Amino acid sequence: MSWLSNVRNAIGGFVPGAKTQGADTLWHKCKGCGTMVFNKELEDNQFVCPNCDHHERIGPKQRFAYLLDEGSTEVLAPPRAAEDPLKFRDSKRYADRLKAARASTGEQDAFVNARGTIHGQRVVIGVQDFAFMGGSMGQAVGEAFVQGVEAAIKDRAPFIVFTASGGARMQEGILSLMQMPRSTVAIQLLHDAGLPYIVVLTDPTSGGVMAAYAMLGDVQIAEPKATLAFTGRRVIENTIREKLPEDFQTSEYYLEHGLIDMVVHRRELRDRLATVIGYLCGERRAA
């Protein structure tokens, strides 16, 4: 009998293969080191592995809870956007994929905004949820991004965006790609209003999102060891006919080559963002 079986038996109530709390929600296998970690321990550590520091992917609810001051969070209602404009179907209907993603995540689409404060400083935060169809960028994501910008301008607050995406949503074709210039224009509106746009790149950020609002921040931050890419390693290697470094397309590689400003551990991110906001907005607030 393995040590894991001994621990499970000692806890009691564990039935192999049964749909119980002990079987489904007690343990988590780290994707970084393969260690089995108690879910409660992982949650208390902001979903960072206590053994190898691997940062697990998290959604909007966890981001808001970890970053915003207690009691200050106001999640914005999702904006309306056309659904399935192309009546797209591959192995499944796009409408069915949307329905399944909403059921599994509890969100309307892959981008959620919230108002709140960080150490008393007003902010608007937009979070991309990779669990919702790979965080893909469609019309609803574009509308939500613009909504976040408009809320930040109304509140005279910085707009902080957490990216996590595989790129544009193929089921919406050219309409998804149109969100790239839309988001760029929205960011310019923030600049015209004299407000900062801060980007936190998380694992993974790629494709059309990487080519658009993910790399247009006034300050570019990334979580450790996040995969950051416009296109895949194999495509690049086949194009340039060279072997890429092992750490290519990671947060650390981007930092070393001057593409981002800092790599920040998730536990330190709240305080670091507060410091950055203080630098960027402190003088204006005092005035």
Side-chain angles (χ1 to χ4, degrees):
M1 184 178 291
S2 70
W3 68 269
L4 183 56
S5 298
N6 287 329
V7 173
R8 285 171 168 166
N9 291 337
I11 292 170
F14 177 79
V15 179
K19 298 289 185 180
T20 66
Q21 181 177 0
D24 280 356
T25 63
L26 190 60
W27 298 92
H28 174 83
K29 184 176 181 179
C30 174
K31 296 179 179 65
C33 64
T35 302
M36 297 297 290
V37 183
F38 277 111
N39 268 337
K40 183 63 169 64
E41 183 182 5
L42 191 65
E43 185 177 352
D44 290 344
N45 204 38
Q46 298 193 16
F47 289 90
V48 177
C49 176
N51 299 298
C52 71
D53 252 5
H54 174 74
H55 285 50
E56 297 286 347
R57 297 168 185 168
I58 59 176
K61 291 184 177 67
Q62 291 95 343
R63 290 284 181 196
F64 299 147
Y66 296 146
L67 291 167
L68 296 173
D69 297 337
E70 188 175 354
S72 74
T73 305
E74 177 194 346
V75 178
L76 305 187
R80 297 183 63 179
E83 293 190 6
D84 198 8
L86 306 180
K87 305 302 178 187
F88 190 92
R89 182 182 186 120
D90 45 36
S91 59
K92 291 183 182 179
R93 294 191 308 150
Y94 179 34
D96 293 337
R97 292 187 185 278
L98 285 173
K99 188 181 299 184
R102 287 167 181 163
S104 65
T105 64
E107 303 295 352
Q108 184 67 17
D109 214 282
F111 197 102
V112 183
N113 292 303
R115 287 184 170 100
T117 59
I118 297 177
H119 291 342
Q121 302 176 102
R122 289 195 311 273
V123 296
V124 175
I125 297 179
V127 178
Q128 210 155 2
D129 189 357
F130 193 81
F132 194 107
M133 295 186 68
S136 52
M137 175 184 64
Q139 289 186 101
V141 167
E143 288 290 343
F145 187 92
V146 173
Q147 176 197 52
V149 168
E150 291 174 342
I153 292 173
K154 181 179 180 181
D155 293 357
R156 299 296 301 162
F159 187 35
I160 305 171
V161 168
F162 286 75
T163 62
S165 177
R169 189 169 296 175
M170 59 170 282
Q171 291 87 350
E172 296 187 19
I174 190 65
L175 298 174
S176 65
L177 296 179
M178 288 171 63
Q179 308 316 306
M180 298 170 67
R182 286 192 72 207
S183 60
T184 303
V185 172
I187 293 166
Q188 186 58 51
L189 294 177
L190 270 178
H191 292 161
D192 292 344
L195 297 168
Y197 173 54
I198 301 169
V199 177
V200 182
L201 301 156
T202 75
D203 181 73
T205 299
S206 62
V209 169
M210 191 68 173
Y213 53 83
M215 292 302 291
L216 294 178
D218 299 309
V219 178
Q220 296 282 151
I221 303 171
E223 289 191 331
K225 298 180 181 177
T227 297
L228 311 174
F230 173 67
T231 191
R233 169 188 290 267
R234 185 172 59 184
V235 173
I236 298 173
E237 288 183 338
N238 288 342
T239 301
I240 66 174
R241 304 196 185 285
E242 290 184 21
K243 183 72 175 173
L244 297 170
E246 285 301 316
D247 64 345
F248 185 68
Q249 296 180 327
T250 65
S251 303
E252 291 72 18
Y253 185 92
Y254 273 54
L255 179 64
E256 183 181 346
H257 289 79
L259 297 174
I260 61 176
D261 298 301
M262 61 189 88
V263 175
V264 182
H265 194 286
R266 189 174 292 164
R267 290 195 301 270
E268 301 169 359
L269 191 52
R270 172 177 153 86
D271 290 340
R272 188 67 61 88
L273 284 171
T275 300
V276 169
I277 295 166
Y279 286 147
L280 296 177
C281 301
E283 199 172 305
R284 177 172 56 79
R285 293 185 192 282

